[in-house]
Amino acid sequence: MDHTNHVRLGASELTPDLLEGATIYGADDNKVGKLDHVHGSTAIIDVGGFLGIGAKPVAVPLIDLEFMRDEDGDVHAVTNWTKDQLKEMPEHHH
């Protein structure tokens, strides 16, 4: 997916209601997970799994994610992390 024409979200739009459920694309532009929830300045991303089963929650700084809207207005994010790097992170426990 080419993200160059996607509209970056402004700081005022970075609310949990808007961001939760966003698809996260990794460094190789593959889907790496979904944003489960925001915890302060940390994003909890569900990585791997299938249809939400077996996914592993990991915590990354929100600053590592660049949120934007695509042509349809759907919110998603791009990060420099790869899926393998995220899978190697310690599991986040609520």
Side-chain angles (χ1 to χ4, degrees), residues 3 6 14 23 33 52 62 64 77 79 82:
H3 303 279
H6 294 169
L14 299 179
T23 300
L62 264 179
D64 285 357
T79 184
T82 65

Side-chain angles (χ1 to χ4, degrees), residues 39-59:
H39 189 72
S41 60
T42 304
I44 310 305
I45 301 173
D46 284 334
V47 181
F50 182 69
L51 300 177
I53 299 167
K56 174 183 169 182
V58 298

Side-chain angles (χ1 to χ4, degrees), residues 2-8 68-71:
D2 181 4
H3 303 279
T4 51
N5 294 323
H6 294 169
V7 179
R8 277 32 179 189
M68 58 195 79
R69 291 181 196 274
D70 65 15
E71 294 81 1

Side-chain angles (χ1 to χ4, degrees), residues 66-80:
E66 186 176 9
F67 290 94
M68 58 195 79
R69 291 181 196 274
D70 65 15
E71 294 81 1
D72 298 325
D74 293 328
V75 174
H76 61 286
V78 177
T79 184
N80 289 327

Side-chain angles (χ1 to χ4, degrees), residues 10-50:
S12 64
E13 294 181 283
L14 299 179
T15 63
D17 287 348
L18 192 61
L19 305 182
E20 288 170 4
T23 300
I24 312 294
Y25 292 91
D28 48 11
D29 207 37
N30 288 321
K31 288 183 184 178
V32 296
K34 278 214 176 289
L35 183 65
D36 182 67
H37 66 280
V38 176
H39 189 72
S41 60
T42 304
I44 310 305
I45 301 173
D46 284 334
V47 181
F50 182 69

